[in-house]
Amino acid sequence: HRDLHSFPTRRSSDLIEQIRKGDFLLVKPGSKIPVDGVIIKGFSSIDEQAITGESIPVEKNERDTVIGGTINQSGVLTIEVLKTLEDSTLMQIIKLVEAAATSKAPIQKLADQISLVFVPIVIVISIVTFGVWMFLGQSFAYALAMGITVLVISCPCALGLATPVAIMVGTGKGAEFGVLIKSAESLEIAHKIQTVLLDKTGTITKGKPIVSDVVAMNGFTPDEIIQLAASLERNSDHPIAKAIIQKQVERHVELIEVTAFENLSGFGLQGEINGQRILLGNAKLLQKQKHDLVSIQTQLDDFARQGKTPILLANSSTVIGIMTIRDELKETSKQAIERLKKDHLRVIMLTGDNPLTAKAIANEVGIDEVISDVLPDQKEAIVIQIQNENQKVAMVGDGINDAVALMRSDVGIAIGAGTDVAIESADIVLMKDDLHDVATAIELSRKTIANIKMNLFWAFFYNVSLIPVAAGLFVGLNLTLNPMLASLAMSISSVSVVLNALRLRFFKPQRKENQS
């Protein structure tokens, strides 16, 4: 590792560019954390409002990650650098906002099509105006001034500004609330969303399950069940594996060697322990291996009705234990789903859980439609199926198994705390681990598109309505324009469009308004 750098210093800006992955940083109270890293010494309250939009400081301890651009409020921290300035979260946010602001939304094509027809027509009107006034005996200078006035007053600058300015303000406002919109196209499509598919684990729930029950049977003890399960799960990063390992640590149970280990995607695990084949997984895995579950089915159903996911452990001959996994709901999930439904959106929960467990969790958060027993590779098919019903679909997820569905959906929305694969696959990234921001993204899209349509209407109406005045049709009423007044009027048109787009800066999500 390199030398320990101290922040702040008089030349912090120069020093930041020299930081490399693996460096140690000493961050003093009141100073900004320069780049993403992990705390290796100290604890503090971190103000993350610049990144997440949340005003309440977050407590951080050793091994917690910190984000560049946030502010260390109290303690002295020693941080190991995980990302350089170029790769930091803050820089990625800046790049996303810049890319979205400069990209072209599909609605911009409408303005382009209008201009494609409008400009040649205006040129023809200008030439006709010049010719008519010459024919009526006016001087060359007068006729030329009238023709130029028509050209100036109808310059489609406002049409060209109507969309990009609103997109730029809208994406910037989204970033302020922790909603990162990757392109103008995704910002536009979001207002058309009719169905929202929500992955359960890590999206509706915290994604940090715990083992709530251990039932041993056929001569085994609870500690033996934990020992076998934890030994199988020891090398897995799956949330359920972490819950089982945590239980093993709490009970001080020793792990034993596993051979012939095999990961059965969507079903569970198997391996040999002490010369005996052990299965760990869901009911489908054991049924596939011809195990009879009739005797424990009532017990499994009872657990499922409580919102607990049963994990079964079996040897080659019989079921030897049941462990139940409970994943706690996020505090805001229920209110966020109510908000989506109030916005007349169809909300569907996707989960690999059995129907009883899935229904119990859905009832807790107020979701009426549930698709359960979903394997990772089936999520894309579900998205396509709903799209075939002429529905615009948004998929919200956080895991690798959500990536294909996120790409297939009309708008993919990734939880910022999710995997890099999910974030790369999504169109919109939520920096906060909060489902309220799904509704915020859709609301922002609706406001932005309404603003763009208003801009386009007034820009076109303004230009068209003043062309007859510029051409001199109202000379008899002493209502005329010269090129200088025409240029002023044209400028006012452009300024009005920009000012109207800037109204989006006052956008506040419904949730914020309700809380104030």
Side-chain angles (χ1 to χ4, degrees), residues 192 194-195 346 386-393 410:
K192 300 177 182 178
Q194 298 157 289
T195 299
R346 178 188 179 193
I386 296 172
Q387 287 173 329
N388 289 338
E389 298 170 8
N390 294 320
Q391 296 268 305
K392 292 289 185 183
V393 179
D410 296 286

Side-chain angles (χ1 to χ4, degrees), residues 12-268:
S12 293
S13 59
D14 295 336
L15 191 56
I16 290 172
E17 295 179 0
Q18 300 173 23
I19 292 175
R20 298 292 179 266
K21 185 176 179 181
D23 283 356
F24 292 115
L25 309 179
L26 183 68
V27 184
K28 299 173 184 177
S31 61
K32 279 189 179 181
I33 295 168
V35 290
D36 297 6
V38 59
I39 298 172
I40 60 171
K41 185 179 179 182
F43 60 90
S44 180
S45 295
I46 307 294
D47 181 355
E48 297 185 339
Q49 186 171 5
I51 303 297
T52 66
E54 286 295 334
S55 57
I56 300 173
V58 180
E59 297 294 329
K60 297 282 187 176
N61 296 295
E62 290 183 11
R63 309 317 305 170
D64 287 339
T65 56
V66 290
I67 303 172
T70 58
I71 299 173
N72 177 23
Q73 289 196 327
S74 52
V76 177
L77 299 177
T78 303
I79 295 169
E80 182 180 351
V81 176
L82 297 179
K83 296 180 180 179
T84 61
L85 178 64
E86 189 64 26
D87 297 326
S88 67
T89 301
L90 182 60
M91 191 60 68
Q92 297 308 311
I93 292 172
I94 292 169
K95 287 178 180 177
L96 283 175
V97 173
E98 287 177 347
T102 56
S103 62
K104 183 178 286 191
I107 197 170
Q108 177 68 38
K109 294 175 183 176
L110 176 61
D112 294 343
Q113 289 168 352
I114 292 172
S115 298
L116 192 65
V117 176
F118 182 68
V119 171
I121 290 176
V122 166
I123 291 173
V124 170
I125 292 173
S126 175
I127 294 170
V128 169
T129 300
F130 172 79
V132 167
W133 284 112
M134 287 292 291
F135 178 76
L136 292 175
Q138 292 293 335
S139 67
F140 176 82
Y142 184 89
L144 183 62
M146 283 297 189
I148 291 173
T149 301
V150 170
L151 285 177
V152 172
I153 199 69
S154 58
C155 179
C157 296
L159 280 174
L161 289 169
T163 299
V165 176
I167 292 292
M168 180 178 66
V169 178
T171 52
K173 196 65 183 178
E176 184 179 322
F177 289 110
V179 178
L180 302 184
I181 300 162
K182 291 187 177 182
S183 68
E185 183 176 5
S186 54
L187 177 61
E188 179 182 342
I189 295 174
H191 88 284
K192 300 177 182 178
I193 293 301
Q194 298 157 289
T195 299
V196 178
L197 295 176
L198 299 176
D199 176 52
K200 189 204 76 173
T201 305
T203 303
I204 296 174
T205 64
K206 292 180 178 179
K208 296 180 180 178
I210 58 171
V211 175
S212 53
D213 301 275
V214 180
V215 180
M217 43 185 86
N218 294 318
F220 285 81
T221 66
D223 280 354
E224 288 174 330
I225 297 301
I226 294 170
Q227 182 183 52
L228 292 170
S231 297
L232 282 169
E233 295 278 21
R234 70 193 303 172
N235 295 319
S236 174
D237 286 329
H238 193 280
I240 290 178
K242 292 180 180 178
I244 293 173
I245 295 297
Q246 180 63 34
K247 194 71 174 178
Q248 171 254 327
V249 172
E250 290 173 4
R251 297 285 282 263
H252 304 289
V253 176
E254 291 186 7
L255 298 177
I256 48 183
E257 186 180 355
V258 178
T259 58
F261 175 83
E262 188 178 354
N263 185 358
L264 308 170
S265 180
F267 295 97

